[in-house]
Amino acid sequence: MEMLTFFKRWFKPRPGPQEVGDALVRKMLLSLKVTSLDELTCEDTYALLDQFAELVANGEDAACLMPLVKQHLDLCGECYEEYEALEQILVAANKPHPKL
Amino acid sequence: MNRQRNSDQNYETLYSGSLPESFPVVKIPKKTSEASIKNARIPHILRSQSIIAAMSDRTNEQWLSDLKNPGPQREAALADLHALVLQAMPYALSRYLSPDNPQFNALAEETAQETLLRVLDRLGTFEGRSQFTTWVYKIAVHIALSELRRRRWRDVSLDELLEDADGQPTEPGWMSTPDPGPEARAEQRDALERVRRIIAEELTDKQRNAVIAIGIKGMPMEEVAKRMRTNRNALYKLMFDARLRLKQRLENEGLEVEDLMNLFEA
């Protein structure tokens, strides 16, 4: 079965312009808007994520101080999800805990 | 196909319930060892200020020194980290999994244990640019969300996902006003055709599949990477190269991305 899929894929003609759907065009254009020569990879961003999240939690202008991290987070959904979850923890950890 | 999600959506359907006002604090047994942490079942969840205060009192240097060498200090530090990660999980997963969900406790415990192992393994890479606990939370978040993504997408193949690709091309209408006028419509059609041709010519099959799977179908990059037998970093680079090539080609053809967007938004 896997072999069949492999051959099907192998002999599938390369998509022409008529097969490039609107969703793909739109996605590409939107992502090109924030594309630049200097971009961090997911690994680079992960290495700086704790620092970035702390800046945000402390009310600093993290986007200005670490613009490449901000740019990556704008482009990468998964890194953004991880940043957001981390931020949720930091916000909760800074909240005063009510006495029982 | 129900497992697919749009890139704008999240796992929110898995989450139902509200968060506690403060961290639920796990009661730590007095005598702990690495083995006991690994095998520990968390007996109850309580709220208390004192444990949090005690655990947060360590400086980065103290965390590192406590964790560096085996012994009672390391065991105590590990037990504290274990509790901190468990406390943090309801907040980290608030958009994805409710603490009331039967899967929650097992995932939190699995995450805490895996986090401790990874922290010990990577202790030398901590550069002190953040609080040590923030660094640990970052690791825990990555482990927990990766596991959630893996579970959510485990039964979806890339072929299945790409079957209906990204739909057939239609008249430009996804960003345009109902009737931009015949001249503007012709201009839009021409621009869209040029962009379609450029995308078809510039993107390799692999790049095109990656963009559709991640950007349109919403499959996480990590999951697409596994199915393409690569890693998340390499896949990001593959897509980055595609974006750069397209941008360059559009510029060479005298097409500015901003102008194209404006054309369709006009």
Side-chain angles (χ1 to χ4, degrees):
Chain A
M1 196 62 186
E2 272 186 23
M3 195 70 115
L4 186 69
T5 317
F6 174 80
F7 279 111
K8 265 187 185 172
R9 205 184 303 161
W10 186 261
F11 290 108
K12 196 179 162 191
R14 204 175 147 68
Q18 286 315 307
E19 286 168 80
V20 176
D22 290 349
L24 181 57
V25 175
R26 182 174 190 269
K27 193 71 206 174
M28 289 315 303
L29 286 179
L30 285 172
S31 65
L32 291 185
K33 266 178 95 172
V34 275
T35 296
S36 75
L37 277 174
D38 302 313
E39 276 187 29
L40 298 181
T41 62
C42 296
E43 207 171 274
D44 299 331
T45 306
Y46 179 73
L48 298 167
L49 203 60
D50 43 344
Q51 209 181 336
F52 184 86
E54 275 188 2
L55 286 173
V56 176
N58 293 333
E60 305 274 353
D61 189 353
C64 180
L65 294 167
M66 301 175 85
L68 293 181
V69 174
K70 170 74 171 66
Q71 186 205 22
H72 183 91
L73 295 179
D74 286 342
L75 273 166
C76 180
E78 279 157 271
C79 287
Y80 184 78
E81 284 174 350
E82 291 181 21
Y83 155 70
E84 204 179 38
L86 184 57
E87 205 58 61
Q88 294 273 10
I89 298 173
L90 296 187
V91 168
N94 287 335
K95 268 187 195 165
H97 294 268
K99 284 184 181 173
L100 286 174
Chain B
M1 295 303 269
N2 288 339
R3 288 185 189 85
Q4 290 173 17
R5 68 184 174 100
N6 186 286
S7 57
D8 296 333
Q9 291 173 329
N10 268 308
Y11 310 111
E12 278 159 344
T13 46
L14 288 175
Y15 174 70
S16 60
S18 57
L19 285 174
E21 286 169 17
S22 63
F23 279 158
V25 176
V26 175
K27 204 173 181 181
I28 303 295
K30 279 184 183 169
K31 282 190 175 182
T32 51
S33 65
E34 277 181 64
S36 67
I37 292 167
K38 244 187 147 178
N39 300 321
R41 291 193 61 190
I42 304 307
H44 1 257
I45 290 179
L46 301 168
R47 286 184 187 178
S48 144
Q49 277 193 299
S50 56
I51 296 177
I52 287 175
M55 287 189 293
S56 306
D57 271 353
R58 282 192 187 87
T59 62
N60 285 358
E61 290 69 29
Q62 282 169 330
W63 277 115
L64 290 176
S65 117
D66 286 355
L67 288 166
K68 220 166 245 174
N69 300 310
Q73 278 179 323
R74 180 197 265 190
E75 285 180 17
L78 284 172
D80 287 350
L81 282 183
H82 182 269
L84 278 172
V85 172
L86 286 181
Q87 290 165 32
M89 279 302 105
Y91 299 93
L93 302 179
S94 61
R95 292 191 61 192
Y96 314 106
L97 198 63
S98 161
D100 300 330
N101 187 301
Q103 293 179 34
F104 183 88
N105 285 344
L107 177 67
E109 181 56 32
E110 197 183 310
T111 301
Q113 289 180 13
E114 183 59 34
T115 303
L116 296 192
L117 293 174
R118 224 171 273 189
V119 163
L120 286 180
D121 190 45
R122 297 180 186 177
L123 208 54
T125 68
F126 176 66
E127 293 175 347
R129 289 188 289 195
S130 67
Q131 292 290 312
F132 183 75
T133 46
T134 307
W135 183 71
V136 173
Y137 289 143
K138 175 180 78 171
I139 294 172
V141 160
H142 180 70
I143 292 169
L145 293 194
S146 297
E147 178 56 20
L148 273 183
R149 290 175 192 133
R150 190 190 66 77
R151 288 182 192 178
R152 189 172 175 83
W153 291 88
R154 66 185 154 199
D155 298 328
V156 182
S157 78
L158 202 56
D159 286 332
E160 185 190 345
L161 198 69
L162 297 170
E163 243 167 34
D164 58 348
D166 58 337
Q168 292 302 305
T170 55
E171 283 291 298
W174 36 269
M175 282 181 188
S176 62
T177 53
D179 186 14
E183 215 169 291
R185 192 184 288 274
E187 201 181 349
Q188 282 177 353
R189 195 180 295 124
D190 179 53
L192 184 59
E193 283 316 305
R194 286 178 75 187
V195 176
R196 275 202 187 111
R197 180 173 48 79
I198 290 169
I199 291 175
E201 286 170 8
E202 292 295 329
L203 256 55
T204 64
D205 286 348
K206 207 171 175 183
Q207 287 169 331
R208 180 190 161 95
N209 288 345
V211 173
I212 293 172
I214 297 162
I216 298 169
K217 301 291 184 178
M219 185 183 261
M221 207 182 286
E222 215 163 286
E223 294 303 308
V224 176
K226 268 185 221 161
R227 286 156 180 81
M228 288 187 164
R229 293 187 175 83
T230 180
N231 60 51
R232 185 166 145 184
N233 223 32
L235 189 58
Y236 185 86
K237 179 78 172 53
L238 181 89
M239 293 171 72
F240 170 66
D241 290 343
R243 286 187 281 114
L244 268 192
R245 278 178 65 149
L246 275 180
K247 199 173 182 179
Q248 190 61 53
R249 175 78 188 273
L250 290 175
E251 278 172 17
N252 289 348
E253 299 220 0
L255 295 164
E256 286 289 335
V257 176
E258 285 289 332
D259 294 343
L260 285 168
M261 296 295 287
N262 290 337
L263 188 67
F264 291 108
E265 279 165 355

